[in-house]
Amino acid sequence: MNAVTVRRVSASEASTHAETLASALADVLLDCVEGGASVSFMLPMPREKALEFWRGVLAGAARHERILLVAETGAGRIIGTVQLITALPDNQPHRADIAKMLVHRDARRCGVAAQLMAAVDHTAREEGKTVLVLDTVTGGDAERLYQRAGWQAVGVVPNYALMPDGAYCGTTFFYKQL
């Protein structure tokens, strides 16, 4: 794969280029769900549902409630994404939730996810965050990725969510101290 860069989508860009970004991000989300990723959505997933989800994310980024990072090819194609949710209760200003770490199947096993997670750490530090939290499917590739990136497993909740095909899956919760 050609060079991949990870960048933060600015609040201004999230507002002014929302439809273009939503379309590109919907491509990634749809590919992941169609590939079996348990990322809150079920099959069949209409494109409009993916677009609606990303419009909401972009609106949140424009309001500074979350930080959206994207991984792009040299040609500008978005192939991955992750979010830091920063709009948390008053007693948790030091913390962020990590959400929707997605990499298009065409770009997997090329280090894109590791780049996204390194960017999460860097961005969180810039924002003054010292504790990060996330969850993922138990036993999946992402679980190994997070462990390699220094995340600590807290525990597993069996049958916590559904896979896109409706099968139950366990969820492992992780945290990372920065």
Side-chain angles (χ1 to χ4, degrees):
M1 168 153 299
N2 295 335
V4 172
T5 58
V6 174
R7 68 178 182 85
R8 180 178 180 161
V9 174
S10 71
S12 172
E13 181 184 9
S15 179
T16 59
H17 296 347
E19 284 305 307
T20 301
L21 287 165
S23 181
L25 290 161
D27 291 342
V28 176
L29 177 59
L30 287 165
D31 177 74
C32 290
V33 173
E34 289 166 3
S38 176
V39 290
S40 305
F41 298 96
M42 304 299 291
L43 289 171
M45 184 174 172
R47 183 170 184 78
E48 187 54 40
K49 185 167 191 138
L51 288 168
E52 181 182 320
F53 170 76
W54 286 111
R55 288 176 187 130
V57 168
L58 290 159
R63 291 188 303 267
H64 302 281
E65 296 169 350
R66 63 183 63 225
I67 297 167
L68 176 63
L69 301 175
V70 294
E72 296 174 314
T73 65
R77 176 181 170 225
I78 294 177
I79 56 170
T81 184
V82 67
Q83 301 168 49
L84 287 86
I85 300 172
T86 55
L88 296 173
D90 288 348
N91 69 339
Q92 299 171 36
H94 61 292
R95 189 174 79 73
D97 289 343
I98 307 307
K100 298 298 179 276
M101 215 296 288
L102 307 168
V103 176
H104 195 284
R105 286 178 287 175
D106 291 348
R108 293 196 184 150
R109 308 253 181 242
C110 298
V112 175
Q115 281 184 262
L116 284 163
M117 293 312 293
V120 159
D121 287 0
H122 177 77
T123 303
R125 283 186 183 99
E126 284 184 341
E127 295 294 317
K129 305 302 178 186
T130 57
V131 178
L132 304 178
V133 179
L134 63 78
D135 65 81
T136 192
V137 172
T138 302
D141 290 340
E143 189 174 23
R144 290 183 292 279
L145 166 77
Y146 301 138
Q147 290 170 336
R148 284 192 307 268
W151 289 75
Q152 302 298 310
V154 177
V156 174
V157 178
N159 300 324
Y160 184 81
L162 298 176
M163 300 299 287
D165 65 3
Y168 287 99
C169 65
T171 298
T172 303
F173 289 83
F174 284 89
Y175 75 93
K176 187 172 192 179
Q177 299 277 345
L178 297 178

